[in-house]
Amino acid sequence: MRATVDRAGLEPQGRLPKVQIRRVRKGDLSKVRDVMEQTFGDFLERQLGTRPRQAFGGAQYVHHRWLMEPWGCFVAEEDNSKIVGAALAVTWGTVGVLGPVAVLTNYHNQTIGQQLIRAAQEFFDENKATLHGCVTYPTSPKHLFLYHKFGYRPKNLGAIMSRAIDRGPARAATAAKPAKSTVTMRRFSALEEAKKKATLARIHRITNAVCRGMDLSKEIEIVDGLALGDTLLLERGRDLIGFAICHTPGVSEAPTGALYIKFLAIDPPQRKVENLEQFIAAIEGLGQELGVQRVILPVYSRYWVAYDTLIQCGYQVDFTMIRMQRGKQEDYENPADLVLDDWR
């Protein structure tokens, strides 16, 4: 059944309802999730002509992001009683990622979205994030104009790609490698607690080489702490070749029936296509083990080698978003870097 909301409008005295922006509290979480689902459900219904059963396909964004970054989560509250909008923001070291941002449809055109984004920008500034980013719908002039007001510039498309899991043996890498170059995969969750901190430092060296100051430690720790999935470590001997933050279905960002990769990076000095191919094959093997129907890999099209590799591995584009950035002006994305990331 489609949910309904009270229609916003003028009060009897001709005044707009009072809306305040504040940080999310624990008791708000289910309401924030409902606002997100309804807002994006309305948008997709207008775009597609039919309302999706679930706006995010079963993916969850609110609870674990609030636990990970409570000071970056905001709500718009009408008359101290009703939540009508919300915005989530996280920091990956010096990179601030904004979104989702949602305002109930009947509360549009009241600057509520702008107030939420402004609160998130202040949070980024407080945490000294030098590059701010978001993604939005490339076909929506309203969304593009909203972020433009805050200095976000449209960049390249990000593609959310997927591939159905084969039910036979796991797909092997394209060519056999000498024994000395054999790679193995370990799970972060299987490490002794004392070794996890050292592994996070090794991962940080990789992300810092991709973008100076980028740090995914909080994302890895929340996935580990809440068992949202796992972080996979691609190793050759004692060398860490790359890592991938994976979400599995349930209460994570993985849609129902899918293994979803939030972030993957191959260490730039090791950026050989065969390393990425082997990692993808290992991830698909994990998907078979988990019994999911498909693997979802997001890729930013500026990372052209990574994008092309996914195409060669049989992945297809489900939909695209446009990445927008503000702050640090130089483009840090090297098209040769083997990075899969999602700024939703």
Side-chain angles (χ1 to χ4, degrees):
M1 180 181 294
R2 181 174 176 179
T4 59
V5 297
D6 297 333
R7 182 167 295 278
L10 296 176
E11 296 177 348
Q13 296 82 9
R15 293 180 287 105
L16 285 171
K18 293 181 180 179
V19 173
Q20 67 164 342
I21 307 299
R22 62 169 176 80
R23 285 191 162 97
V24 172
R25 298 190 285 260
K26 184 176 182 180
D28 302 325
L29 295 177
S30 63
K31 296 175 184 177
V32 171
R33 184 184 60 196
D34 290 345
V35 166
M36 294 280 182
E37 286 279 346
Q38 178 152 335
T39 301
F40 283 92
D42 287 351
F43 175 80
L44 293 172
E45 183 177 18
R46 293 194 300 271
Q47 295 290 304
L48 305 174
T50 181
R51 191 176 189 84
R53 183 178 178 185
Q54 294 177 305
F56 305 121
Q60 303 293 323
Y61 293 95
V62 177
H63 185 263
H64 67 275
R65 289 200 186 179
W66 176 75
L67 287 172
M68 181 176 69
E69 198 86 272
W71 296 109
C73 300
F74 301 89
V75 294
E77 187 175 50
E78 178 188 15
D79 296 329
N80 297 310
S81 60
K82 179 182 179 182
I83 293 175
V84 299
L88 308 180
V90 300
T91 53
W92 294 347
T94 57
V95 179
V97 181
L98 171 63
V101 178
V103 176
L104 290 174
T105 304
N106 292 323
Y107 287 79
H108 285 185
N109 303 316
Q110 297 182 34
T111 74
I112 296 173
Q114 295 180 49
Q115 295 177 60
L116 287 165
I117 293 174
R118 189 171 294 111
Q121 292 303 137
E122 292 173 357
F123 164 73
F124 289 152
D125 292 340
E126 290 166 3
N127 286 273
K128 296 180 171 56
T130 56
L131 174 66
H132 306 171
C134 66
V135 295
T136 192
Y137 299 97
T139 57
S140 174
K142 188 172 184 178
H143 287 90
L144 293 169
F145 183 62
L146 172 62
Y147 290 110
H148 176 78
K149 287 182 178 179
F150 289 87
Y152 286 87
R153 298 182 179 184
K155 309 295 279 188
N156 291 51
L157 290 176
I160 309 303
M161 307 182 73
S162 69
R163 181 178 185 271
I165 289 288
D166 297 328
R167 288 305 161 198
R171 181 171 59 80
T174 54
K177 304 297 174 186
K180 66 178 181 179
S181 67
T182 299
V183 297
T184 57
M185 189 176 73
R186 281 200 299 169
R187 300 189 186 192
F188 184 83
S189 62
L191 299 178
E192 299 174 7
E193 289 299 320
K195 293 184 178 179
K196 287 182 177 179
K197 185 175 181 180
T199 300
L200 288 174
R202 296 169 74 195
I203 289 172
H204 182 224
R205 284 196 290 272
I206 293 176
T207 57
N208 189 61
V210 171
C211 172
R212 185 177 299 276
M214 180 186 284
D215 188 350
L216 274 291
S217 295
K218 286 184 290 188
E219 293 278 355
I220 294 169
E221 289 174 327
I222 202 70
V223 167
D224 186 47
L226 297 182
L228 302 177
D230 214 330
T231 296
L232 308 180
L233 309 171
L234 191 71
E235 299 174 319
R236 180 180 291 113
R238 295 184 177 181
D239 295 331
L240 181 63
I241 304 300
F243 74 98
I245 302 173
C246 305
H247 287 234
T248 54
V251 292
S252 73
E253 296 178 31
T256 303
L259 175 63
Y260 161 71
I261 304 303
K262 174 76 175 180
F263 194 102
L264 180 154
I266 301 293
D267 194 9
Q270 304 282 348
R271 56 186 179 205
K272 298 178 181 178
V273 167
E274 54 263 35
N275 286 333
L276 179 57
E277 290 173 338
Q278 289 179 309
F279 211 170
I280 292 171
I283 289 167
E284 291 174 358
L286 175 60
Q288 286 182 324
E289 180 183 328
L290 295 172
V292 299
Q293 286 76 51
R294 61 195 178 113
V295 170
I296 299 175
L297 302 178
V299 61
Y300 182 44
S301 60
R302 185 170 172 84
Y303 294 128
W304 182 253
V305 176
Y307 174 84
D308 185 62
T309 301
L310 293 193
I311 295 292
Q312 300 304 318
C313 288
Y315 283 78
Q316 297 182 338
V317 177
D318 294 334
F319 61 92
T320 58
M321 305 287 282
I322 191 165
R323 182 170 293 190
M324 305 187 74
Q325 297 176 4
R326 74 184 293 269
K328 188 165 131 183
Q329 293 302 309
E330 65 270 23
D331 288 333
Y332 72 82
E333 300 99 344
N334 184 336
D337 278 343
L338 299 179
V339 174
L340 309 180
D341 61 353
D342 195 351
W343 286 10
R344 286 182 296 165

